[in-house]
Amino acid sequence: MAFLTLDDPTTLGEADWVRLCFADPPDSGLPYAASILRDFDQNHCYDRFWEPARAPGMCSRYLLAGYQFTFVGCNEGFTLNVLQGHFRHHYADMALVLQYQQAALLRLMERLTPPGNGRLSDPEFRQRLRDAQDEWLDFLGHGWFPTLSNQVQGQELFEKWRDQLRLPALYREVSEKARDMTAMLNAAEGHEATQEAHRATEAGLQLNKIAAIGLVASLITSVMGVNLIVPDNPPLMLASGWSFFIVGLVTLGAWLTGRMIAGSKPTGSSRFLRTFAINCLAIAALTLLIGSVLILKAPPEEKPDCLDAVRAACCPS
């Protein structure tokens, strides 16, 4: 920052104004091409109190280049006693705030940019993004504001200086990046929640399969008795064989019923019914096999009394 007073600021030429604005070394010509400096007065000069040809007191000019803030005025009492105090306190504090905002936004830009080897599945990488988002929210609440002066000149200089530092554009870029990172984190966490729900559903289906097997087994034991032991007694062996055979036919019918009902139910219900039907088919095949073996192993002379044997095995009382 520079505070310059002259007996007659109008003696400065165009090249002098440009070099004072951009902190370039002194020389006789323009430091840049004339096409670049076509809008110099509009973009880099604040001339609210600059019209020395009309009024002698209108000789205060502010030059802004983002990294450089220059005041040029007349060498008089008001400039030295009042404007110099504004420069040292009001505008120096403004410069600190703007430099802080620029540094904070650049830091946030770096923190919100994922490294090349970062993965959303990495907990440390995710925690880093969350910390950067917390820092961004803290900056929004305490470090970013449109103005910090109740004076018109202070407000206009603050806005012009912000534009020179390109802070609005940088703010929008950081804001969009923070929003994208939030969307990515939410999507990753939502995907994990979906996978967890899918695993819970699969576990429930497995339990349903076990329950279906237990249901069919309970039907068998309720029909045949849980204490049924196949002895070497031929009549009882034949009766047990027919009992197994009948239970196999019953479970086979349950399989056919389950298959038919599953075709007319929604996806969630039909999956359970299909599982139940498959289990019934497996148990039907097993019981039919056991019943067939027992019937075939029974002596031929005992087979005509099979109905009495089945009745004795199923209803011992």
Side-chain angles (χ1 to χ4, degrees):
M1 299 180 70
F3 187 88
L4 177 64
T5 60
L6 301 171
D7 293 334
D8 185 7
T10 60
T11 58
L12 295 175
E14 182 183 6
D16 298 324
W17 289 114
V18 173
R19 293 180 182 277
L20 285 173
C21 178
F22 295 106
D24 289 320
D27 204 342
S28 58
L30 290 172
Y32 311 108
S35 59
I36 298 297
L37 302 172
R38 185 179 298 113
D39 299 325
F40 172 76
D41 290 346
Q42 178 181 355
N43 295 333
H44 299 280
C45 301
Y46 181 74
D47 294 336
R48 174 177 281 272
F49 298 103
W50 176 254
E51 201 171 16
R54 184 179 64 85
M58 301 280 287
C59 60
S60 299
R61 197 177 203 192
Y62 296 84
L63 309 174
L64 298 100
Y67 58 87
Q68 173 72 14
F69 181 94
T70 304
F71 169 83
V72 179
C74 297
N75 188 11
E76 51 156 359
F78 180 78
T79 302
L80 297 176
N81 297 327
V82 179
L83 296 183
Q84 191 172 16
H86 291 174
F87 179 87
R88 288 178 173 176
H89 302 289
H90 197 73
Y91 300 128
D93 292 342
M94 185 184 295
L96 290 175
V97 170
L98 289 169
Q99 295 299 322
Y100 157 72
Q101 290 183 347
Q102 184 185 44
L105 288 172
L106 290 174
R107 169 183 165 83
L108 285 165
M109 176 66 72
E110 189 273 334
R111 295 202 64 191
L112 289 170
T113 302
N117 56 351
R119 295 293 182 271
L120 285 174
S121 57
D122 184 4
E124 294 184 1
F125 175 70
R126 239 188 261 180
Q127 186 60 44
R128 175 188 173 186
L129 291 181
R130 290 194 186 95
D131 292 341
Q133 289 178 326
D134 292 340
E135 187 175 338
W136 167 245
L137 293 176
D138 184 68
F139 173 76
L140 289 180
H142 301 92
W144 182 257
F145 26 83
T147 187
L148 46 73
S149 176
N150 60 353
Q151 299 176 359
V152 175
Q153 177 171 310
Q155 294 171 1
E156 292 175 347
L157 277 172
F158 185 78
E159 183 176 356
K160 198 174 188 68
W161 205 345
R162 282 204 318 164
D163 293 339
Q164 288 297 324
L165 289 169
R166 296 181 175 86
L167 292 186
L170 184 59
Y171 172 85
R172 289 192 297 269
E173 188 174 354
V174 175
S175 179
E176 292 175 1
K177 189 171 289 293
R179 185 166 56 249
D180 292 342
M181 289 298 104
T182 301
M184 290 173 59
L185 283 175
N186 291 339
E189 292 174 354
H191 179 67
E192 289 184 355
T194 302
Q195 287 185 331
E196 187 65 26
H198 179 70
R199 286 193 290 266
T201 302
E202 291 296 329
L205 291 176
Q206 295 299 326
L207 291 176
N208 289 338
K209 292 178 182 179
I210 297 174
I213 295 174
L215 176 62
V216 177
S218 65
L219 291 176
I220 296 174
T221 55
S222 64
V223 172
M224 302 182 62
V226 294
N227 296 320
L228 175 65
I229 299 176
V230 180
D232 294 333
N233 191 348
L236 189 57
M237 180 183 297
L238 184 62
S240 299
W242 278 107
S243 299
F244 273 104
F245 201 81
I246 292 172
V247 171
L249 293 177
V250 171
T251 52
L252 188 63
W255 168 72
L256 292 173
T257 304
R259 290 290 297 179
M260 289 187 293
I261 296 176
S264 60
K265 291 290 183 181
T267 305
S269 302
S270 63
R271 183 178 298 178
F272 170 76
L273 291 173
R274 288 193 184 97
T275 302
F276 176 79
I278 292 173
N279 292 328
C280 287
L281 180 62
I283 294 176
L286 179 62
T287 52
L288 288 173
L289 178 62
I290 295 174
S292 301
V293 171
L294 291 176
I295 292 173
L296 291 175
K297 290 182 65 176
E301 60 273 11
E302 301 293 341
K303 294 180 181 179
D305 300 326
C306 62
L307 293 178
D308 295 335
V310 169
R311 187 180 300 109
C314 295
C315 306
S317 61

